[in-house]
Amino acid sequence: EDGNFAIFFSHQWTAWEEPDHTNKQYEAMCRAIHYIVQRETRELESIYCWIDYCCISQEVPKLQELAINSLPLYASLLSSFVIVCPDVPHKDVPEPCDRNAYLHRGWCRA
């Protein structure tokens, strides 16, 4: 073990064109990282984060599809799995992005 700790952040996009239009998910991720650092007695510099928007190609549809199909594998290889689902209204449709909406997503029930 190299002393590093990897966190898989699972979230839902809160708008069609941007993943976190209110920044509330980002804030929740930051709180989770600091909580894990304290709980696991880790240095912040030893924490790595896996977030789909940054880690999955958003420009190449075929690569995006392959990566999405591999999400359960990615999640199983990391040290911690964090669900990020603060109450946020979806920017483009009159629906909430919250815990209930998250739990109804297809791959989240796999």
Side-chain angles (χ1 to χ4, degrees):
E1 178 168 312
D2 62 5
N4 293 321
F5 193 91
I7 304 169
F8 184 103
F9 282 105
S10 180
H11 67 99
Q12 56 191 324
W13 282 45
T14 62
W16 298 134
E17 299 296 324
E18 55 187 315
D20 185 18
H21 75 284
T22 64
N23 229 29
K24 288 187 178 181
Q25 293 187 102
Y26 171 76
E27 293 166 358
M29 289 178 194
C30 290
R31 286 191 303 273
I33 291 168
H34 289 286
Y35 173 79
I36 289 169
V37 163
Q38 290 180 339
R39 185 190 73 195
E40 300 293 327
T41 321
R42 301 275 178 170
E43 295 294 323
L44 187 58
E45 294 77 20
S46 72
I47 303 292
Y48 291 86
C49 298
W50 195 101
I51 305 167
D52 69 351
Y53 182 72
C54 305
C55 299
I56 292 178
S57 171
Q58 303 298 312
E59 287 86 32
V60 183
K62 186 60 182 171
L63 289 178
Q64 185 180 42
E65 178 185 354
L66 290 170
I68 289 169
N69 290 339
S70 301
L71 285 175
L73 177 63
Y74 291 142
S76 72
L77 296 173
L78 301 179
S79 310
S80 185
F81 185 94
V82 176
I83 295 170
V84 180
C85 56
D87 292 340
V88 176
H90 196 283
K91 181 179 179 182
D92 303 305
V93 293
E95 297 177 8
C97 294
D98 57 11
R99 182 178 183 273
N100 190 46
Y102 176 89
L103 293 173
H104 284 88
R105 295 172 59 202
W107 91 270
C108 299
R109 295 178 302 200

